[in-house]
Amino acid sequence: MIKTLNYDNLSRDDLIYLLQLEDQEDLKELYSEAYKTKLKYVGNRVYFRGLIEISNICSKNCYYCGIRCGNSKVNRFILDKQEIIRSAKWAWKHKYASLALQSGERDDPEFVDFVEDILLGIKEFSGDDLGVTLSCGEQTEETYQRWRDAGAQRYLLRIETSNREFYKKLHPEDHLFDKRLECLKLLRKTGYQVGTGVMIGLPDQKAEYLADDLIFFKDWDIDMIGMGPWIPHKDTPLGEDHPEYDKEWLMSMGIKMIALVRLFLKDVNIAATTALHALDPKGREKGLMAGANVIMPVITENEHRGDYLLYDGKPVCDESAEDFRLALDKSISSLGESVAYGIQGNSRHWQKRVGKM
Ligand code: 5AD
Ligand code: SF4
């Protein structure tokens, strides 16, 4: 049985111990504690973020990622403005109340203008009704400010790992850990709700690193967490060196991290990400039962859906966005949870921090 722990005040050693739990009964107890904490701090409502993958063009070359610029096999695309606005309107009409726009990283003026223009286009038809989260990588303070002024309220920039030396193993030399930290500071300074996250189950990643990731989230007063298991992509250096992976283990590590974020940070928003779904058709639901409260379904319907392949086996939905919404809604209800339509679902943690609660 799990040793006696004070779940309200977990130490680094407790986190390391919990990250290494394997016994099914122990894990059940952990998830049930995390679920209780979720009910207490954020309730049993699930927030949908309509995800629009606007472009897979990326100037970076992270060793783990399928759309890294060094992968010449990728069919590169950028959606046009009309298509993005059409999807945003669909989300609005279906009361998603919040969107997430994601792309590879580019900092050229044309791209910066493009994102700004889209944000203004969304604001034009929805006013303040639609919350927008951006996930477009490292940018200058000026760019973050421009996008903020154009209507984005939240930004997700994963630190990927909070361990500086490990970060170096996962990225080329010119991808700087300090720059990433600086960007997280700039996002806070320019007034965003700030999200970050890590990959879980990477080769050579130790339980200690993940415990330190959790402490990093707390120390940096993060509002939202989006993290998921690492899954190899065959056309990446990391995937080539480590083609084998243990789905079950990755899945349990992913769920454990969700539970530990909920227990350790309590009132943040936590996404049950697509990587969980890639490992297990019920992955998202398991994430919700371990403490997650956000789901980000892809809402674009076009021929590029299959080109945003960060890892092999990423589920590409061939249903319409509407069929997918209905199926997800039903499965969420069967868990005793409900979708919070029409509510933006700002992070409670952020609300407390800025005095809006
Ligand atoms: N497996 C899982 N997640 C990945 N990401 C990139 N490559 C992979 C992979 N092979 C994640 C990174 C990045 C986000 C867009 O996708 O964490 O921040
Ligand atoms: Fe580009 Fe992000 Fe992939 Fe790195 S993880 S290659 S920055 S899309």
Side-chain angles (χ1 to χ4, degrees), residues 55-70 76 102-106 136-138 160 171 175 180 199 308 310:
S55 170
N56 64 358
I57 303 173
C58 185
S59 59
K60 293 189 121 179
N61 217 6
C62 307
Y63 294 149
Y64 43 83
C65 177
I67 63 169
R68 62 201 299 270
C69 64
R76 304 284 168 179
Q102 193 173 59
S103 73
E105 189 171 307
R106 277 176 61 184
C136 304
E138 295 167 18
E160 313 295 0
H171 300 95
H175 294 22
R180 216 140 176 100
M199 278 176 295
Y308 207 90
L310 304 170

Side-chain angles (χ1 to χ4, degrees), residues 31 189 289 315 346:
Y31 302 152
K189 185 176 169 200
M289 296 316 282
N346 288 316

Side-chain angles (χ1 to χ4, degrees), residues 13-208:
D13 282 347
D14 295 338
L15 294 172
I16 295 170
Y17 165 78
L18 290 169
L19 280 160
Q20 291 170 323
L21 280 189
E22 284 192 0
D23 181 86
Q24 288 305 320
E25 286 304 309
D26 288 350
L27 288 172
K28 251 196 215 161
E29 185 180 325
L30 174 68
Y31 302 152
S32 130
E33 285 297 329
Y35 194 72
K36 272 193 250 166
T37 305
K38 163 172 153 169
L39 291 184
K40 180 166 167 200
Y41 286 89
V42 298
N44 67 346
R45 309 188 78 182
V46 181
Y47 299 98
F48 277 177
R49 317 285 184 223
L51 178 59
I52 305 181
E53 293 163 336
I54 59 182
S55 170
N56 64 358
I57 303 173
C58 185
S59 59
K60 293 189 121 179
N61 217 6
C62 307
Y63 294 149
Y64 43 83
C65 177
I67 63 169
R68 62 201 299 270
C69 64
N71 183 5
S72 57
K73 294 187 187 160
V74 179
N75 179 23
R76 304 284 168 179
F77 71 88
I78 179 158
L79 300 184
D80 60 37
K81 181 180 172 186
Q82 271 172 322
E83 166 130 42
I84 297 171
I85 298 290
R86 194 168 49 229
S87 294
K89 281 189 176 158
W90 182 89
W92 186 55
K93 206 171 121 207
H94 288 85
K95 301 207 173 313
Y96 272 35
S98 179
L99 289 177
L101 307 182
Q102 193 173 59
S103 73
E105 189 171 307
R106 277 176 61 184
D107 61 1
D108 53 288
E110 194 191 341
F111 183 71
V112 173
D113 290 350
F114 178 70
V115 173
E116 183 180 48
D117 192 38
I118 295 210
L119 291 167
L120 293 171
I122 292 171
K123 213 172 168 168
E124 202 173 283
F125 77 82
S126 68
D128 290 330
D129 281 0
L130 259 179
V132 182
T133 306
L134 283 179
S135 184
C136 304
E138 295 167 18
Q139 303 291 340
T140 62
E141 178 172 353
E142 190 204 344
T143 299
Y144 286 146
Q145 189 66 60
R146 275 178 59 191
W147 290 348
R148 177 82 186 91
D149 293 344
Q153 302 102 333
R154 310 178 185 142
Y155 205 103
L156 194 59
L157 181 73
R158 290 188 178 182
I159 189 71
E160 313 295 0
T161 171
S162 63
N163 183 301
R164 181 181 291 276
E165 291 312 309
F166 193 47
Y167 189 92
K168 284 191 197 157
K169 288 198 188 155
L170 301 171
H171 300 95
E173 241 174 65
D174 61 346
H175 294 22
L176 302 177
F177 183 72
D178 281 322
K179 168 104 192 280
R180 216 140 176 100
L181 293 180
E182 181 58 26
C183 283
L184 285 172
K185 281 190 201 153
L186 291 175
L187 288 166
R188 175 56 50 80
K189 185 176 169 200
T190 43
Y192 288 88
Q193 293 176 48
V194 181
T196 194
V198 294
M199 278 176 295
I200 302 157
L202 287 153
D204 301 327
Q205 187 179 40
K206 297 187 167 52
E208 283 82 352

